[in-house]
Amino acid sequence: MPDVLENLKDLFKKGKSKMVLLVADGLGGIPHPDFDFKTELEAAHTPNLDRLAQRSVLGLMYPVNYGITPGSGPGHIGLFGYNPEELIIGRGVLEALGVGMALGPNDVAARANFATRDEQGLIIDRRAGRIPTEECVRLVNLLSENIGEIEGVQILLKPGKEHRFVMVLRGEGLGDRIKDTDPQKEGLAPYAPEALDEASQKTSRVIKQFLEKAQKLLSTEKKANAILLRGFSKPPVLEKFPERYGVRSLAIAIYPMYKGIARLFGFDTPELEGTFENEVEYLEKAWNDYDFFFVHYKDTDKAGEDGNFKRKVECIEYFDQFIPRILELKPDVLVITGDHSTPSLLGSHSWHPSPVLLFSPHAGCDEASRFTERECRKGYLGHFPARALMSLILANGLRLGKYGA
Amino acid sequence: MPDVLENLKDLFKKGKSKMVLLVADGLGGIPHPDFDFKTELEAAHTPNLDRLAQRSVLGLMYPVNYGITPGSGPGHIGLFGYNPEELIIGRGVLEALGVGMALGPNDVAARANFATRDEQGLIIDRRAGRIPTEECVRLVNLLSENIGEIEGVQILLKPGKEHRFVMVLRGEGLGDRIKDTDPQKEGLAPYAPEALDEASQKTSRVIKQFLEKAQKLLSTEKKANAILLRGFSKPPVLEKFPERYGVRSLAIAIYPMYKGIARLFGFDTPELEGTFENEVEYLEKAWNDYDFFFVHYKDTDKAGEDGNFKRKVECIEYFDQFIPRILELKPDVLVITGDHSTPSLLGSHSWHPSPVLLFSPHAGCDEASRFTERECRKGYLGHFPARALMSLILANGLRLGKYGA
């Protein structure tokens, strides 16, 4: 993807402008044959988005690169103006954020599964028959109560859905270069949590001891009598968003994973719950205290992942109703886009570029009649990589001075 | 040019999808004043391409970079997803492939001309008066019969058109950093085949001895009494296409050069002859045995190179007739484009982006009415570098998994 100016710092200008990045997760779609080849945005009734599109510039934005389907991590890394091909958020870290665990810079996180092993110790079900979540909670509590600390390292466990849970190691001198113990297929024994570098020797020892203790505690279980670990990782070291762009930054999200990602990047991130309406209310309350607002709406992605075209259309129409309230705040820059596309035709994240709308008195406007993928295709912003978006937002917020004499 | 994700390997997914890259060489054109400012694609009657365009996404693709006119080598290097600014196919190698010589990894190839020298040994005609091809064949046979091996190095010669032929050195310890002997203008003596690095000393010695022997053998010739050599090169070292993309790959071409290029990249490449119809027949026969099909149609480029607008229009119309047969195979992804543009107005390769059409149930579609440069300009794929095409093809073939958690 085209490269972007990495260091904008020298160009920063003070200002009073308010900038809003409104992300409808998985917003983009592709034409669906069962809905006369319309996309969800095209099928939705969105008077407010359409009116706004008529006064905005549009474009299509590649989250990572051509043909690349991003996970939520890379999707937001790009939106925040970082390079998702260089900056990686480990699987364990993302899982920890997803269950709402706050991570310190030295913590090592891993994704954990309960699994089923036979008498020989071979894994016969990597998901322990997808035990109910309550079972998972019971077993995680059992482990937590009996395994507190190993070699002075805290073992923090938190249940997820069904057979999934998260393990975080908190202590000194822990590297994260540990081989997955999950063999990824049935019929094999779990691998040892081998240290892949010198700095991870202690981590390896602690995990070995944890697994031995856990094995004993789970020995009487029918299904969940083994544990598989993968994606050992520490939070990435990165320049925080507010310093990188010189703006007071607030993230408003309901889902733990997005709060967690935003915290990684140094956004102020309230412990908000509820609906998108609660997010908009919070935005209104906090309006005077920040310069940059990242607001995350999740339901569009969920409907797309479920392959539910009609539901995604409804989510878009619900989202549309709040546009006037956001405009009443008179943002100097308002961007509406997704972190990636989630076409209900595919029922998954996809590689398709995200439709993007940028509204600002300094942006100009297209002749678009609606906010749809096909209208964005013809937009003034053209096709561009997500990580160029922040420069465009700051420029339209008049927060960037002249480059060079 | 925008960069592309270099290592897709981690994302590969197994699948049954069939992907076809159909290249009409030099397809793109520019509006021609003598044909009421239409391009060849616009002037052509192409009902099948147009119907397909209405169900596809379109774009404009830069073979190498803005304003850069590619040779056939860089043109295809880009289409295959490699970086034509880094990966170079030497002139000698390309000439050898062009006359159908199969090259080993250690062979050194050079382009050779018969030339005319005067008594002082100065070159007075770099092309030996463009001697007829039969003459070239006779002289190349004369040289081959009398010069078999030098220092254990095989000297392989093959005639080309008129004064052109190809020399390949086959043996151990041959570097290819040899100075051209062709002085590039008349009135000068040929340069010595100087070694430009230590590894090429032996090559230099062998060529010197070859030239001395050849000089004697040609001494009685009126016109072709000297030889000029240039473009010494070995085949590039590269990751083969099937490994790079995890697909069983077949190349279908008639012209030796394109078969040769495809073989360099590790495509299975049948010794096919005849017309484009024979190529389509072969595609039908081989359909079940491969995942990825590169099919090359040459005539559009030839007509463009001849500056023959009407002929290029006819070639496009001929090409158009085969689209239904290819669609009957039900490819999961079908891309139609060129390796570069060859506007008959210029009568040569050009820097203009290639029109590209991508058809797939997962691609979506534009509102294009036809497959033309001007319709592609408005396409959903936008403007992109040729080397991003492979990622898009694999993505639409559902052969790429999610990037990042």
Side-chain angles (χ1 to χ4, degrees), chain A residues 29-33 35-39 42 60 345 351-353 372-378 383, chain B residues 50-59 356-370 375-376 378-382 396:
Chain A
I30 55 179
H32 198 305
F35 298 89
D36 50 44
F37 288 96
K38 287 187 166 144
T39 69
E42 288 168 343
L60 287 172
L345 182 62
W351 61 91
H352 301 88
T372 67
E373 296 82 356
R374 277 182 255 224
E375 290 286 54
C376 287
R377 187 195 59 191
K378 297 178 276 175
H383 293 60
Chain B
D50 296 344
R51 202 171 307 117
L52 182 61
Q54 291 157 24
R55 302 152 55 200
S56 302
V57 286
L58 309 179
V356 55
L357 169 161
L358 190 154
F359 170 74
S360 157
H362 312 115
C365 62
D366 289 317
E367 291 107 2
S369 56
R370 299 202 56 204
E375 290 285 53
C376 287
K378 297 178 281 173
Y380 178 74
L381 294 175
N396 281 284

Side-chain angles (χ1 to χ4, degrees), chain A residues 162-174:
Chain A
E162 299 176 327
H163 55 287
R164 302 183 195 87
F165 65 103
V166 176
M167 178 174 80
V168 169
L169 306 183
R170 181 164 296 162
E172 290 312 304
L174 298 174

Side-chain angles (χ1 to χ4, degrees), chain A residues 26 44 89 125 163 203 293 308 326 333 342 403:
Chain A
I89 301 179
D125 183 343
H163 55 287
T203 318
F293 304 84
N308 191 335
I326 294 169
V333 184
T342 306
Y403 175 76

Side-chain angles (χ1 to χ4, degrees), chain B residues 254-275:
Chain B
I254 300 293
Y255 275 62
M257 181 184 291
Y258 306 95
K259 293 177 190 165
I261 292 175
R263 285 197 186 103
L264 272 186
F265 283 85
F267 283 82
D268 286 356
T269 310
E271 258 319 329
L272 192 66
E273 302 209 329
T275 66

Side-chain angles (χ1 to χ4, degrees), chain A residues 352-369:
Chain A
H352 301 88
S354 296
V356 56
L357 170 161
L358 190 153
F359 169 73
S360 158
H362 314 112
C365 65
D366 290 320
E367 293 105 7
S369 56

Side-chain angles (χ1 to χ4, degrees), chain A residues 1-2 29-31 60 62 64-74 84-86 88-91 94 345-346 349 351-353 373-374 377-378 383, chain B residues 1-6 8 11 361-368 378-385 388 391-392 395-398 400-405:
Chain A
M1 282 268 108
I30 55 179
L60 287 172
Y62 287 95
V64 176
N65 212 321
Y66 300 101
I68 303 306
T69 296
S72 301
E85 294 179 33
E86 287 165 6
I88 307 296
I89 301 179
R91 181 61 185 261
L94 207 70
L345 182 62
L346 289 169
H349 290 198
W351 61 91
H352 301 88
E373 296 82 356
R374 277 182 255 224
R377 187 195 59 191
K378 297 178 276 175
H383 293 60
Chain B
M1 274 270 111
D3 208 349
V4 301
L5 190 60
E6 275 307 328
L8 299 170
L11 306 180
H362 312 115
C365 62
D366 289 317
E367 291 107 2
K378 297 178 281 173
Y380 178 74
L381 294 175
H383 293 62
F384 64 101
S391 317
L392 292 170
N396 281 284
L398 305 183
L400 294 179
K402 194 161 46 169
Y403 173 78

